[in-house]
Each structure stands twice: as structure tokens, then as C-alpha cells.
């Protein structure tokens, strides 16, 4: 039976300390569930992208190449500040090339404990990409949790202006109590600002 749900936030063993599932296991399970497509969005890297792409196609699964980026709250070359999460998905070849560029920049110029990028680099390499606001460590979610609505609104304006209809507010069903109250706030925030919502599981 065909399953219309598509995972858009998923980590493999290439997400150190955050993913244990192997690409072969995910593909096998997707086939068992009747899924036709899913994304891989490893933390800060695309190490599994080619393996995923080739193996998924062989099994009749449409691969969506992605990345859960670490976005520095300051310039990526500044060795300070917090990192926010942002899910980026390639919707075409240009987007795939921009994902590779961003991933490389994170290691070459932004690495500080993690491969970080920043808003300027995202702005310069946004073509062909879809952006999701990510988990509780996303910039919008984190500021809502901290009751800092000015910063949440500022972040929304930046990403909405940059990605337009390709920017989505992400809500998750992950078994964390705090997440469910946050989901209600995120949904209301998205509706108020006329932004579409997407459901993920942070698999």
C-alpha cells in the first residue's frame, strides 16, 4: 500500500551522536511502509548523499538530498555564540550544488566545534533550496521557547524574504512533552504570518 507521508528530517549514522540508522536500513523500512520518497538531512554534512542517492534509486525510492545546517548567530568565522539548526533540501541541481557549497563552507571557514554557516552564506547560496525551520534548536523555535518574540519575528522575516514560498515552519511528533506545547505556538505563529507548516519526526 502506498504511504503518502515523506520524512523530510532524518539522520543517518553520518550524524555523529544523533543518528544510528544506516541508509540501507532506512530504505528497507521505507519500502516495508510503502513510502515512495524520503530525505536525508545529516547534521552539518552530506557524507551520505551519494550512497543514499544511488541506493534509493535502485530500490525505487525518490531520494531527497538535504542537510541540517548549524547556523551561527554571528558570522561563521567568529568563534563565539550559539548555533541554530536549519533544514535545507535540494529541489534541483542548482540546489544540490548550493548544499555542497554550504556544507564545504561550514568546514573550511566556519568550523568551531561544529561545521557552521551563517545567514550571509545562506543568502549567497539559497537558490534551488527549500528551508524548514528545524527542531527545538531552530532559530524561530528557540526564540519562541525563550519568549523572545522580537527575535523570532526577525528570523521569520529573514527566511521568508529569502526563500519565499519555499520556507516552512516545522512541527514535530517526537515524544518530547515540551515539543507539543511548542507545536501549538509554532502553528499559531505560522498561521499569523501566512507561512505553511510541515510535519516531521526528527528521525
Amino acid at each position: 500500500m502506498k504511504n503518502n507521508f515523506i520524512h523530510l528530517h532524518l539522520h543517518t549514522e553520518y550524524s555523529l551522536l544523533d543518528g544510528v540508522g544506516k541508509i540501507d536500513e532506512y530504505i528497507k523500512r521505507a519500502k516495508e511502509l510503502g513510502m515512495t520518497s524520503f530525505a536525508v538531512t545529516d547534521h552539518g554534512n552530506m557524507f551520505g548523499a551519494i550512497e543514499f542517492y544511488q541506493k534509493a534509486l535502485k530500490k525505487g525510492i525518490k531520494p531527497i538530498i538535504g542537510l541540517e545546517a548549524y547556523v551561527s548567530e554571528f558570522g561563521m568565522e567568529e568563534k563565539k555564540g550559539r548555533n541554530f539548526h536549519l533544514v535545507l533540501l535540494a529541489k534541483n541541481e542548482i540546489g544540490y550544488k548550493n548544499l555542497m557549497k554550504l556544507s564545504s563552507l561550514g568546514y573550511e571557514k566556519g568550523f568551531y566545534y561544529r561545521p557552521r554557516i551563517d545567514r550571509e552564506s545562506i543568502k549567497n547560496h539559497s537558490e534551488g533550496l527549500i528551508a524548514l525551520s528545524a527542531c527545538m534548536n531552530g532559530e524561530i523555535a528557540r526564540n519562541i521557547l525563550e519568549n523572545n518574540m522580537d527575535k523570532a519575528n526577525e528570523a521569520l522575516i529573514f527566511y521568508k524574504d529569502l526563500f519565499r514560498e519555499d520556507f516552512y515552519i516545522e512541527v514535530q511528533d517526537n515524544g518530547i512533552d515540551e515539543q507539543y506545547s511548542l507545536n501549538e505556538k509554532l502553528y499559531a505563529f505560522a498561521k499569523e504570518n501566512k507561512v505553511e507548516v510541515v510535519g516531521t519526526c526528527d528521525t
Side-chain angles (χ1 to χ4, degrees), residues 13-14 23-24 27 47-56:
E13 73 268 33
Y14 293 105
I23 288 169
D24 287 330
I27 292 172
F47 300 153
I50 298 300
E51 178 188 351
F52 169 54
Y53 181 83
Q54 293 175 339
K55 289 181 174 179

